Amino acid sequence: MSERILLKNIDTTRPGPPCSYDRYVKGGGYEGARAALRMTPLEVQQVVKDSGLRGRGGAGFPTGLKWSFVPMDFKGQKYLICNCDEMEPGTFKDRALIYNDPHQLIEGMIIAAYAMQMTKGFIFIRYEYRKGAESVNHAIAIAEKNGWLGRNIQGSGFDFHLETHLSAGRYICGEETALINSLEGRRANPRSKPPFPQTKGFLGQPTIVNNVETLCCLPHILARGASWFKSIGTEGSSGTKIVGASGRVRRPGLWELPMGVPMRTVLEEYAGGPAREHGFKAVIPGGLSTPMMTPDQFDTPLDFDSVAKAGSRLGTACLIVFDEGDCMVNVTENIIRFYARESCGFCTPCREGIPYIHDIVKAIRDGAGCEGDLPTLDEMAKHIMHTFCAFAPGAQGPFLSAITKFRHEFENYLRAGAPAAATPAAGRQS
Amino acid sequence: MTTIPDLLRKELSDHCAHYASRRVGLIWVLQKLQAHFGGYLPDEAITLAAEIVGIPEPDVEGVATFYNWLFREPVGRRIIVVCDSISCHLCGCDSIVARIQKRLGIGMGETTPDGEFTLLPVVCLGNCDKAPTMMIGDELYDCLTPDKVDEILDSIYASAKAGGR
């Protein structure tokens, strides 16, 4: 295995108590923040730009470029927000980071806050991670005591006040403008862009929202340099990535690997190959909202550009794996049910369209499909692209790829009805 | 008109005052009120939150009915949430839900007559390498099998009886 950087202090197989301040510092912790505080804010931004760091929340937008839209001459309050609303099905990387090494995240936030001169920060944590939030709160208190948070950090003259916000739960909160609305005490409906949060975000002030893993890369970049970070991974995607695998693999788990590791290596070497007697059938590469990939694409390197070239998205790089024993009609019903339930209800194509798709897919699965259902699904897949935010297009990814790549399975259901094995277990209410 | 202890009211109000806009404190206020009112938000909690935060009641109602973890109806002492997202679906969450339902005699969204448990589905719990997974109260349970569900429920009932509620 290659060098563990973000997971240095974390045993992903056996989560224990979070890494203590002393252990974190002994391992080189807070050296990145120390280095940043010796530079000017713009120099720190330049290091991050030079490192080629791209957002680990799923979109892969260059972090330095995102930051550069924050007006540095703005005199009022600016805010830094960490998005720890990890609810993307199949994704379990940020949990490992905040439960086990909260100081790494805090250090990353100090660096980001200093680079953009943001004196207030929030960590937005999903309700189900409330025990993790307790670890983070404890670490914040320790960091304050050691002069890393609060007023005049390490004598630099820079102030940064950080607190956690425990969400009341809803998948859409992970969308950055919905997250900002939620933090303001509103319904988590996404906002229209522009204006972008960088100029008008939380309470109308310049705001940056970054993912946990993105922020956790910063201490290492600042401590070891942009060129070191760029030397790992690929030309367009530098650094390591926390890659996960779940579903039909023998050893599901999380591994920190250089960007560009072939999907097959993850599936076969790290995840131990198929869990059952069946061969692999498909992989959803980056959390649920990315198009399915098939075994002929398993040599694809796991980096932003290669996965995009293969017609999907790297997303969160947490692979969801299906084998030949899985019925893709049944799988698609589960996928679409999730989106139908979690739609925020704000715009019509999403609120009405996704449940409509679910009704049809469920009817097909239950043996009650009719001729014309597949063309209707094709049509609906187009309509749900015309929505206010990226939620419904996210749903379209796995859905459209399923009805395209595994169309014969849907056709079999329409011809012969539902096979007995695919009917849901007794007592199940969906 | 129900009132809440002055100390709680002050704590909630002070929390709101800590932000540049009092409304930022709303979700925290609702979470605190929910705990105070035994796990859900009765109508008077909405009125109180509106008063404390200083926004109209319909705005509070809009927020209280939006989020998965704010309840406008009474719930059990412990909420069971079973992940039914894709990885847990592949690994058999249906059989976990079926066992809980059979054991407790309730359907999804229902509360046991003794007021101990409410059963709900939940979005991916971010524990996919240990699927299927669920939470009961603050505890996370993973690598579940139907038999393991029985053991977990047995031990919770046993400790509740012993007064460890």
Side-chain angles (χ1 to χ4, degrees):
Chain A
M1 186 169 314
S2 54
E3 187 196 348
R4 291 162 74 101
I5 299 160
L6 274 67
L7 295 182
K8 186 170 62 180
N9 299 319
I10 301 173
D11 180 353
T12 52
T13 56
R14 230 172 350 117
C19 177
S20 69
Y21 176 78
D22 290 343
R23 196 178 135 216
Y24 184 71
V25 169
K26 213 177 249 174
Y30 287 103
E31 285 308 314
R34 210 182 289 282
L37 293 171
R38 281 197 292 260
M39 301 179 196
T40 66
L42 285 176
E43 281 168 357
V44 177
Q45 287 194 24
Q46 194 58 46
V47 170
V48 174
K49 254 185 220 168
D50 292 343
S51 75
L53 175 66
R54 293 171 69 172
R56 264 59 168 154
F61 193 81
T63 306
L65 184 61
K66 185 174 186 173
W67 289 5
S68 70
F69 300 128
V70 173
M72 290 303 284
D73 53 356
F74 185 85
K75 291 283 171 273
Q77 184 68 54
K78 289 179 278 191
Y79 293 96
L80 176 67
I81 301 173
C82 167
N83 185 345
C84 184
D85 190 57
E86 181 170 72
M87 290 176 98
E88 182 68 35
T91 302
F92 48 105
K93 63 186 184 67
D94 296 340
R95 174 193 279 275
L97 292 170
I98 71 148
Y99 272 73
N100 301 299
D101 202 2
H103 283 288
Q104 179 173 240
L105 173 63
I106 293 169
E107 187 183 356
M109 291 191 75
I110 295 165
I111 294 164
Y114 177 74
M116 291 169 287
Q117 294 291 295
M118 293 164 161
T119 56
K120 280 189 180 154
F122 293 95
I123 306 175
F124 187 100
I125 304 178
R126 70 177 291 191
Y127 186 70
E128 293 84 349
Y129 287 4
R130 50 198 182 271
K131 284 199 169 175
E134 282 171 23
S135 305
V136 176
N137 281 332
H138 180 71
I140 287 175
I142 305 257
E144 276 170 0
K145 230 172 71 190
N146 286 280
W148 285 109
L149 288 173
R151 284 180 184 282
N152 190 18
I153 294 175
Q154 303 294 316
S156 65
F158 176 64
D159 301 345
F160 183 50
H161 303 276
L162 181 61
E163 61 180 281
T164 55
H165 170 86
L166 197 57
S167 172
R170 197 76 190 256
Y171 172 77
I172 194 63
C173 292
E175 201 276 345
E176 69 174 9
T177 60
L179 184 150
I180 290 169
N181 269 336
S182 186
L183 201 55
E184 286 185 5
R186 302 174 191 281
R187 290 165 76 93
N189 298 128
R191 296 178 178 177
S192 74
K193 293 187 270 196
F196 287 88
Q198 288 96 321
T199 53
K200 232 172 152 30
F202 181 64
L203 300 175
Q205 308 294 107
T207 303
I208 277 286
V209 182
N210 279 148
N211 167 261
V212 175
E213 190 185 348
T214 312
L215 290 163
C216 287
C217 290
L218 298 173
H220 310 284
I221 293 172
L222 268 293
R224 298 168 77 169
S227 50
W228 162 80
F229 193 75
K230 232 179 147 29
S231 73
I232 308 166
T234 65
E235 179 62 33
S237 307
S238 44
T240 58
K241 179 79 193 74
I242 301 178
V243 175
S246 68
R248 304 295 188 199
V249 288
R250 193 181 305 262
R251 289 191 303 270
L254 285 179
W255 309 275
E256 183 175 8
L257 301 169
M259 282 274 192
V261 61
M263 185 185 284
R264 190 183 303 283
T265 306
V266 176
L267 294 173
E268 298 293 341
E269 287 177 31
Y270 292 95
R276 308 193 291 183
E277 70 275 21
H278 309 284
F280 292 137
K281 186 182 204 173
V283 166
I284 299 184
L288 195 61
S289 304
T290 54
M292 291 182 181
M293 294 170 72
T294 41
D296 54 303
Q297 300 176 300
F298 284 0
D299 290 320
T300 307
L302 291 176
D303 62 73
F304 291 111
D305 305 318
S306 303
V307 181
K309 212 189 274 171
S312 187
R313 289 191 302 118
L314 179 66
T316 60
C318 287
L319 315 176
I320 306 162
V321 186
F322 306 92
D323 71 20
E324 287 294 344
D326 289 317
C327 161
M328 298 315 269
V329 177
N330 193 9
V331 161
T332 306
E333 189 278 330
N334 175 275
I335 291 172
I336 277 296
R337 173 163 24 112
F338 160 78
Y339 291 105
R341 197 166 71 201
E342 288 298 323
S343 168
C344 84
F346 182 72
C347 70
T348 312
C350 181
R351 181 188 64 241
E352 306 294 332
I354 297 177
Y356 187 68
I357 292 171
H358 179 247
D359 285 350
I360 295 172
V361 173
K362 187 166 179 289
I364 296 173
R365 185 203 65 182
D366 294 344
C370 51
E371 214 193 316
D373 276 353
L374 278 173
T376 306
L377 290 179
D378 293 336
E379 189 65 25
M380 291 302 296
K382 284 182 220 153
H383 292 319
I384 58 170
M385 295 306 280
H386 302 289
T387 49
F388 197 72
C389 80
F391 177 95
Q396 198 232 31
F399 165 63
L400 182 60
S401 56
I403 61 168
T404 308
K405 295 186 171 181
F406 302 101
R407 201 170 188 86
H408 54 281
E409 295 193 28
F410 287 82
E411 285 164 352
N412 285 345
Y413 268 71
L414 288 169
R415 233 189 338 265
T423 52
R428 169 95 191 147
Q429 302 179 353
S430 50
Chain B
M1 182 76 199
T2 321
T3 53
I4 51 170
D6 287 345
L7 205 64
L8 176 60
R9 182 186 288 266
K10 185 176 179 316
E11 188 192 358
L12 299 180
S13 186
D14 287 353
H15 183 81
C16 293
H18 160 74
Y19 298 108
S21 156
R22 289 184 67 84
R23 184 164 183 157
V24 175
L26 176 60
I27 286 176
W28 190 85
V29 165
L30 289 173
Q31 287 168 338
K32 284 277 172 188
L33 286 171
Q34 182 163 279
H36 175 77
F37 284 102
Y40 82 110
L41 295 163
D43 292 347
E44 57 258 49
I46 303 297
T47 310
L48 280 164
E51 204 180 286
I52 291 164
V53 178
I55 58 172
E57 272 186 53
D59 277 18
V60 177
E61 185 74 283
V63 169
T65 53
F66 186 87
Y67 292 94
N68 295 344
W69 287 99
L70 295 174
F71 302 104
R72 286 288 276 120
E73 286 176 34
V75 290
R77 274 178 287 276
R78 291 181 177 80
I79 294 174
I80 305 179
V81 289
V82 186
C83 172
D84 63 357
S85 290
I86 189 68
S87 301
C88 286
H89 174 75
L90 292 178
C91 296
C93 68
D94 283 1
S95 69
I96 303 304
V97 171
R99 181 62 66 94
I100 296 170
Q101 291 183 330
K102 187 170 160 220
R103 173 69 196 264
L104 299 180
I106 53 171
M108 204 40 106
E110 293 175 1
T111 301
T112 52
D114 62 1
E116 196 64 44
F117 296 107
T118 295
L119 176 62
L120 292 169
V122 75
V123 172
C124 182
L125 286 171
N127 200 35
C128 319
D129 53 340
K130 302 179 192 74
T133 173
M134 68 173 176
M135 288 181 83
I136 301 181
D138 292 339
E139 292 303 317
L140 178 70
Y141 298 92
D142 46 34
C143 303
L144 294 172
T145 60
D147 289 346
K148 205 168 157 186
V149 166
D150 278 340
E151 282 166 32
I152 292 163
L153 292 176
D154 281 343
S155 82
I156 291 175
Y157 268 121
S159 72
K161 252 195 201 129
R165 179 156 282 164

